[in-house]
């Protein structure tokens, strides 16, 4: 099966292909403070987890091709002394993008070293980050800033009228989450839809659907541009969410207790 076949099958999936309770869960170390999770696609096909322990930032890489999520590699991020507020894997740069203390930090995994740093917010607010194939988007509490993905050159910004919790975007839409509000922006950063739905983390499921983790109301939301499709409640303290397209697996990182919740399609063979 080609990668295009896998993508095509994943596009056919929606909330009706999943149960409202997790397939299984993985317990995480209760004493660590987890910063979130990210997916590193092929050829690595790994789950990246960052946590803080004894004032040290640790990057952990885990398998996703079985149900044990075994640890493959653990890296102490010695050059990042302050907490990491958000991070993603940037396939176009083949690097991690970290947000820490108002700075964007690019990190080469193979060399295990920082390659660039850029001040995003001189006031050192917590910032969120997202990217596509051409742009990097950074958001402090109220300002969305865009940068060119290769050069990190500043391009433009938009002042938001609410405190932003998270940002995600593809080639068509920017989607931002806030306390009690979900907003879709077009490519020009013009607001086109708003929903009275809160969220603390957001992830694109496919070209039609988005997933929103809401730590305030302990729930996971399936959302399209047009309407809310399904609410999965009683997910305690969801913090970060990723989708593994090759197996259509949804992973939610939760706090208190620290764990991963895994959602698989009802018929996994139909999309594997």
């Amino acid at each position: 099966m080609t990668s295009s076949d896998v993508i095509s099958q994943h596009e056919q999936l929606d909330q009706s292909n999943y149960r409202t309770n997790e397939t299984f869960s993985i317990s995480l170390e209760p004493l660590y403070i987890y910063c979130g999770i990210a997916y590193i696609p092929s050829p690595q096909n790994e789950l990246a987890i960052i946590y803080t322990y004894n004032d040290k930032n640790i990057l952990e890489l885990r398998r996703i091709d079985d149900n044990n999520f075994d640890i493959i590699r653990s890296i102490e991020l010695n050059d990042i002394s302050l907490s990491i507020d958000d991070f993603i894997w940037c396939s176009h740069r083949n690097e991690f993008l970290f947000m820490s203390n108002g700075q964007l930090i690019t990190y080469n995994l193979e060399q295990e070293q920082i390659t660039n740093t850029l001040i995003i917010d001189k006031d050192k607010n917590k910032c969120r980050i997202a990217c596509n194939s051409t742009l990097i988007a950074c958001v402090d509490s109220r300002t969305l800033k865009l940068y060119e993905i290769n050069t990190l050159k500043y391009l433009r910004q938009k002042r938001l009228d609410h405190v932003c919790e998270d940002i995600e975007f593809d080639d068509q839409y920017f989607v931002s989450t806030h306390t009690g509000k979900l907003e879709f922006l077009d490519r020009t950063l013009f607001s086109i839809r708003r929903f009275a739905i809160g969220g603390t983390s957001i992830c694109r499921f496919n070209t039609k659907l988005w997933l929103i983790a809401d730590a305030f109301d302990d729930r996971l939301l399936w959302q399209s541009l047009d309407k809310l499709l399904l609410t999965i409640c009683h997910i305690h303290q969801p913090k970060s969410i990723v989708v593994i397209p090759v197996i259509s697996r949804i992973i939610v990182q939760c706090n208190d207790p620290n764990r991963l919740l895994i959602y698989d399609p009802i018929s996994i063979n139909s999309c594997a």
Side-chain angles (χ1 to χ4, degrees):
M1 182 179 293
T2 66
S3 58
S4 60
D5 291 332
V6 172
I7 293 173
S8 177
Q9 290 187 354
H10 186 65
E11 287 294 323
Q12 303 306 311
L13 294 177
D14 58 29
Q15 81 287 355
S16 64
N17 301 103
Y18 291 78
R19 296 186 178 92
T20 55
N21 57 296
E22 70 270 16
T23 313
F24 63 97
S25 64
I26 298 288
S27 296
L28 299 175
E29 174 56 52
L31 297 180
Y32 298 164
I33 299 175
Y34 286 87
C35 309
I37 56 178
Y39 168 54
I40 308 176
S42 182
Q44 292 98 331
N45 260 339
E46 295 168 354
L47 181 71
I49 301 176
I50 291 182
Y51 63 85
T52 302
Y53 184 65
N54 285 338
D55 296 324
K56 295 180 180 179
N57 293 310
I58 310 296
L59 170 62
E60 199 174 75
L61 302 177
R62 295 191 179 218
R63 299 184 188 279
I64 59 166
D65 54 3
D66 59 28
N67 291 347
N68 297 318
F69 283 69
D70 295 328
I71 298 173
I72 303 169
R73 186 172 164 195
S74 187
I75 303 168
E76 187 173 323
L77 302 173
N78 295 310
D79 294 331
I80 306 177
S81 58
L82 299 174
S83 63
I84 294 174
D85 301 316
D86 195 18
F87 74 103
I88 57 171
W89 175 259
C90 179
S91 295
H92 185 81
R93 294 180 61 97
N94 199 35
E95 291 183 322
F96 278 109
L97 305 180
F98 298 138
M99 293 302 311
S100 176
N101 201 37
Q103 281 192 325
L104 166 62
I105 301 169
T106 63
Y107 183 85
N108 184 287
L109 180 59
E110 184 176 341
Q111 299 173 1
E112 295 186 14
Q113 67 180 24
I114 293 172
T115 55
N116 289 282
T117 60
L118 181 68
I119 296 176
I120 302 298
D121 189 324
K122 59 181 176 56
D123 295 326
K124 301 180 180 180
N125 289 312
K126 290 185 177 181
C127 297
R128 307 287 290 189
I129 189 168
C131 71
N132 64 7
S133 60
T134 59
L135 299 171
I136 296 172
C138 300
V139 184
D140 62 18
S141 59
R142 288 184 178 272
T143 305
L144 167 62
K145 298 178 181 179
L146 295 181
Y147 298 84
E148 202 278 325
I149 200 166
N150 293 315
T151 64
L152 303 182
K153 178 183 177 182
Y154 168 77
L155 298 175
R156 65 186 187 276
Q157 69 181 45
K158 178 182 177 62
R159 180 72 174 170
L160 304 175
D161 60 359
H162 35 251
V163 175
C164 183
E165 294 285 346
D166 197 12
I167 185 78
E168 183 66 273
F169 70 109
D170 56 19
D171 292 333
Q172 286 186 290
Y173 305 109
F174 291 82
V175 187
S176 59
T177 60
H178 324 278
T179 303
K181 185 181 295 182
L182 178 72
E183 184 168 20
F184 282 78
L185 310 173
D186 65 16
R187 294 176 62 182
T188 68
L189 301 183
F190 180 78
S191 178
I192 56 175
R193 286 299 304 272
R194 290 186 179 184
F195 298 90
I197 297 170
T200 49
S201 183
I202 188 167
C203 178
R204 187 169 71 93
F205 179 76
N206 57 26
T207 59
K208 299 171 290 185
L209 297 172
W210 305 76
L211 297 171
I212 301 102
D214 186 0
F216 295 109
D217 290 326
D218 292 337
R219 59 185 182 171
L220 176 67
L221 309 171
W222 289 80
Q223 177 76 48
S224 75
L225 177 62
D226 299 317
K227 60 183 177 179
L228 173 68
L229 300 175
L230 180 70
T231 300
I232 300 174
C233 296
H234 311 300
I235 300 179
H236 191 60
Q237 289 296 306
K239 179 176 179 61
S240 187
I241 181 169
V242 298
V243 173
I244 315 298
V246 290
I247 54 176
S248 300
R249 172 167 280 181
I250 300 167
I251 304 174
V252 184
Q253 180 248 311
C254 299
N255 296 339
D256 192 29
N258 292 328
R259 68 205 188 285
L260 300 175
L261 301 183
I262 291 84
Y263 292 82
D264 288 315
I266 295 171
S267 178
I268 191 68
N269 294 328
S270 68
C271 56

